[in-house]
Amino acid sequence: MKKILTIAVLFAALMTAVPAKAEVKFGVKGGLNLTSIRFDSSVADKSNQAGFFIGPTVKFTLPIVGLGIDASALYDQRKSTVGSDSGNEISVKQQSIQIPINVRYGIGLGSSASIYFFAGPQFGFNVGDKTITSTVADWTFKSSNFSANVGAGLMLLNHLQVSVNYNFAFGKTGDFSVDALGQVFKEDAKLNAWQIGVAYFF
């Protein structure tokens, strides 16, 4: 209930901050996560795996040429396999609600297409298992996390949007402890991701 209230407050604040003359379009967004885990030191290996995200999105075109804001409420799943020096592995899966709020600047390529660049903060709330355990390792997710996006995209016919961005965490996403060669190591870890997205605005 607390997470839902926080999400509602964020969207209410965004709607209040948008000028009255802004053009508003609603849509649906989905795509793939290519996730990597970055440790503060090299205790374990990492490998990319595909996750996904999907959910409603809204785009505000501001009364300034090329400038806009977009925001989404996405169910986001990220997966990665982490291996210790002894060859043992643990599969890590994060399920969360992610709220990206991006400022975007578009450049027209004619009447039917435009390219745009965007960047902004992202607020995440864990909704899956908080702790993942195996015989050699344990992973504990934080209840919430803060990250940022930077990327670019293509808008077609004012309805279809394709984008690529990098999402990187500020602070740790979780705690990872692994038994490597009889010694237990504990690390802070960040779950970053390249994201490929498609959105359709009505």
Side-chain angles (χ1 to χ4, degrees):
M1 185 65 182
K2 185 177 179 181
K3 294 177 182 178
I4 295 174
L5 180 60
T6 303
I7 293 171
V9 169
L10 285 172
F11 269 104
L14 177 64
M15 295 296 288
T16 302
V18 173
K21 293 183 179 180
E23 178 187 358
V24 181
K25 285 192 173 183
F26 295 92
V28 178
K29 183 177 183 179
L32 295 177
N33 288 318
L34 298 176
T35 307
S36 63
I37 296 177
R38 186 170 69 83
F39 293 94
D40 288 348
S41 60
S42 56
V43 170
D45 297 324
K46 58 183 181 294
S47 61
N48 283 350
Q49 290 192 3
F52 68 92
F53 57 90
I54 189 168
T57 187
V58 60
K59 177 167 69 79
F60 305 94
T61 302
L62 303 179
I64 301 174
V65 176
L67 193 63
I69 298 173
D70 64 58
S72 305
L74 306 172
Y75 171 77
D76 184 288
Q77 180 176 293
R78 304 184 184 192
K79 298 169 67 176
S80 190
T81 299
V82 183
S84 70
D85 294 337
S86 60
N88 295 294
E89 294 184 338
I90 179 173
S91 180
V92 176
K93 182 172 72 172
Q94 181 190 38
Q95 300 175 77
S96 62
I97 299 297
Q98 297 289 334
I99 305 175
I101 302 173
N102 298 308
V103 176
R104 52 193 286 161
Y105 182 77
I107 302 172
L109 300 176
S111 59
S112 60
S114 64
I115 60 173
Y116 67 96
F117 304 92
F118 63 93
Q122 181 164 300
F123 307 89
F125 305 90
N126 186 48
V127 295
D129 294 334
K130 188 173 181 180
T131 303
I132 300 170
T133 61
S134 73
T135 56
V136 294
D138 295 308
W139 179 286
T140 302
F141 286 111
K142 293 181 63 180
S143 297
S144 60
N145 57 79
F146 177 66
S147 61
N149 297 305
V150 59
L154 178 65
M155 192 76 181
L156 299 172
L157 302 175
N158 210 29
H159 289 285
L160 183 63
Q161 174 180 288
V162 181
S163 63
V164 177
N165 70 277
Y166 187 65
N167 173 252
F168 54 96
F170 289 103
K172 65 181 180 180
T173 306
D175 297 309
F176 182 75
S177 61
V178 60
D179 186 348
L181 301 177
Q183 186 174 359
V184 177
F185 294 90
K186 291 185 178 181
E187 295 294 329
D188 296 341
K190 298 179 180 179
L191 209 57
N192 302 329
W194 281 99
Q195 298 181 308
I196 303 171
V198 177
Y200 184 84
F201 293 94
F202 303 103

